[in-house]
Amino acid sequence: NENKGTHDEL
Amino acid sequence: NIFRILADLSHLASIVILLETIRKARQIDGISLKTQILYVLVFCTRYLDLLTFRWTSLYNTLMKFFFIGTSVYVVKLMQDCKLTNPVSYKDMMFRDTFQIKYLLGPCALLALVFNYKFTVLELCWSFSIWLESVAILPQLFMLSRSGKASTLTTHYIFALGLYRALYIPNWIWRYYSENRLEKLSIFTGLLQTALYSDFFYIYYRKVMKGRGFELP
């Protein structure tokens, strides 16, 4: 998944 | 989306309630210092990405600083109580007996096993997400030992629990709108909300009907 490791949540 | 905004607002509200409780009442009865120290650890390990300057947004960055700052401030206020209200401090320490090594150890292990990348930043992030899911346990343990709590303390715990519960519809929303699925956040979020479920039930039955929080 491309979103892995992009922590844009708090 | 609306769930995420409401969740973050609920998280903010919980911290404001806690700060107001400690500052106004000048006592810390029923609040677990251990849980608060765990939150300092949670935020400091979660938001290490502040140091990389790869910022998501101004909102995101400001909130991160707010959560780190206020969590440290709460611990400082509670420590101050040792001098300003030693009776209240002693009473709190007497009840705050949960052994946090049983949380820190397993969380560190889980972070080593479940993470997105084996880098310091990602391991710390995973550790923080696991630790957050169980950080309320010393507080809930303290609550169950004393059997009752001030209404403000229960509002604080409720707002804090509601925040992660609201992240669950947010994740469903994001799955459908962005095809985004963060398994670690979702699993730990469900775990965290499950730990609160008993508390939510009593809060709904008693506090929301104006009867005060007392355990059966």
Side-chain angles (χ1 to χ4, degrees):
Chain A
N1 190 316
E2 283 175 28
N3 294 315
K4 270 186 179 180
T6 55
H7 309 305
D8 63 354
E9 287 175 343
L10 297 160
Chain B
N1 65 60
I2 185 79
F3 301 111
R4 200 164 153 198
I5 288 284
L6 285 177
D8 289 345
L9 287 179
S10 167
H11 198 179
L12 280 182
S14 76
I15 292 168
V16 171
I17 294 168
L18 181 64
L19 282 172
E20 280 303 288
T21 309
I22 299 175
R23 282 165 58 118
K24 271 201 186 135
R26 292 189 178 281
Q27 47 104 336
I28 48 171
D29 293 359
I31 298 164
S32 163
L33 180 62
K34 285 179 176 169
T35 282
Q36 297 308 320
I37 290 171
L38 289 182
Y39 279 120
V40 172
L41 203 55
V42 164
F43 294 132
C44 287
T45 48
R46 172 96 42 97
Y47 301 149
L48 278 176
D49 61 345
L50 284 172
L51 301 171
T52 66
F53 296 101
R54 259 182 281 164
W55 293 354
T56 314
S57 64
L58 182 66
Y59 167 80
N60 191 274
T61 304
L62 286 178
M63 292 290 260
K64 285 174 178 174
F65 278 118
F66 179 83
F67 289 134
I68 294 175
T70 49
S71 64
V72 173
Y73 184 55
V74 165
V75 170
K76 191 204 165 291
L77 277 182
M78 291 187 79
Q79 293 286 4
D80 286 352
C81 217
K82 207 189 274 186
L83 295 172
T84 57
N85 193 343
V87 177
S88 177
Y89 186 85
K90 260 192 189 159
D91 187 66
M92 182 275 297
M93 290 300 272
F94 177 69
R95 293 173 198 280
D96 195 17
T97 50
F98 193 92
Q99 298 279 315
I100 55 173
K101 62 184 175 197
Y102 295 123
L103 302 179
L104 293 171
C107 285
L109 262 173
L110 286 163
L112 288 172
V113 178
F114 302 100
N115 54 69
Y116 293 142
K117 238 189 203 172
F118 211 81
T119 61
V120 176
L121 229 62
E122 284 298 320
L123 289 177
C124 283
W125 183 87
S126 177
F127 172 73
S128 86
I129 210 103
W130 284 107
L131 188 60
E132 187 193 344
S133 70
V134 294
I136 198 66
L137 284 177
Q139 177 66 68
L140 291 179
F141 183 70
M142 198 173 176
L143 198 65
S144 71
R145 273 195 72 193
S146 44
K148 54 185 175 182
S150 80
T151 311
L152 270 172
T153 306
T154 62
H155 289 333
Y156 159 68
I157 301 172
F158 176 74
L160 192 60
L162 184 65
Y163 133 72
R164 215 55 178 172
L166 282 168
Y167 259 86
I168 296 169
N170 154 66
W171 290 317
I172 297 170
W173 182 289
R174 295 193 77 180
Y175 176 71
Y176 286 109
S177 67
E178 300 166 44
N179 199 25
R180 185 190 171 96
L181 190 70
E182 267 227 40
K183 288 179 191 160
L184 256 179
S185 300
I186 293 172
F187 181 78
T188 55
L190 288 171
L191 172 66
Q192 183 166 341
T193 306
L195 292 183
Y196 277 85
S197 55
D198 201 34
F199 172 84
F200 283 149
Y201 180 69
I202 299 166
Y203 184 87
Y204 169 74
R205 287 277 309 271
K206 305 249 171 155
V207 183
M208 280 170 79
K209 289 173 182 165
R211 269 181 285 176
F213 189 94
E214 211 168 307
L215 290 176

